[in-house]
Amino acid sequence: MKKLYRLARLNGRDRVLFLQAAFLLAIVKLGLTRFSFQTLHRWLAKIFSKSTPKYVVPAEKILWAVETASRNLPGGAKCLNRALVAQTLLARQGYPARLRIGVAKNACGQLEAHAWVENEERILVGRLVDGERFVPLADFEF
C-alpha cells in the first residue's frame, strides 16, 4: 500500500517515466527469456529510435526511474535488464549511451558477468565498488 501511495504522490511526468521504466523492465525480463540479447536490442532500438518523446527528461531522472522500478519489480531486475532499459530510455531522449558487457573471475575462480551503461567513460547504470575488475567484452549502441 505504501508503494502505491508513493506512486500516487509523484508528479505526472515522474509517474509516467517510472511506469515506462517498469513496463520496459518487465518486457526486457520476459524478452530475454524468449529471444537472444541481440534480437531484443535491435527490436528496442528500432521501436524507440523512431518515437519522439513529448518532453525532455534529464538523464538523472531516467536513471532514477530505472533504479526505482527495478527495486519494485517482482523478482528484481538483473544488471543486464537495468542496463538495457536505461540505454533505451536514454537513447530515446537523445543521450549517447553505450551498453557494455564484461566478465571477471571471482575469489573462487568462477567467471562472473556484468552489464553497465556508460556515457563518455562515465558509468551511469551498473556501477560496482569493484567494477574495474570486469573486462569489457562487448559494446552495444543504438
Side-chain angles (χ1 to χ4, degrees):
M1 201 64 176
K2 282 184 181 181
K3 290 180 183 181
L4 287 176
Y5 178 70
R6 277 187 256 156
L7 178 62
R9 287 184 47 207
L10 292 174
N11 69 45
R13 289 183 177 179
D14 287 352
R15 188 177 315 121
V16 168
L17 184 59
F18 171 82
L19 292 172
Q20 284 177 342
F23 177 74
L24 266 177
L25 278 165
I27 293 295
V28 165
K29 191 172 184 176
L30 178 64
L32 287 172
T33 66
R34 304 281 185 236
F35 306 105
S36 71
F37 170 80
Q38 290 86 355
T39 299
L40 186 60
H41 190 264
R42 274 194 307 268
W43 178 75
L44 289 169
K46 187 176 185 179
I47 288 176
F48 285 96
S49 65
K50 293 181 181 177
S51 64
T52 307
K54 293 181 181 176
Y55 51 88
V56 177
V57 177
E60 293 76 26
K61 280 285 187 185
I62 293 169
L63 304 177
W64 163 84
V66 172
E67 291 301 322
T68 304
S70 68
R71 283 194 307 269
N72 291 289
L73 187 68
K78 296 186 184 273
C79 60
L80 182 59
N81 301 23
R82 289 191 310 274
L84 188 52
V85 170
Q87 183 190 37
T88 301
L89 292 175
L90 288 164
R92 182 169 186 244
Q93 289 289 328
Y95 298 108
R98 178 187 312 150
L99 190 151
R100 303 188 90 181
I101 299 174
V103 296
K105 286 189 177 182
N106 63 18
C108 299
Q110 297 171 321
L111 201 60
E112 293 180 339
H114 183 59
W116 64 95
V117 174
E118 290 182 358
N119 174 304
E120 297 177 3
E121 304 301 320
R122 188 177 73 128
I123 297 175
L124 303 176
V125 172
R127 182 182 322 270
L128 294 175
V129 174
D130 61 347
E132 66 278 350
R133 69 187 179 95
F134 286 90
V135 177
L137 292 181
D139 291 351
F140 300 91
E141 295 187 53
F142 280 166

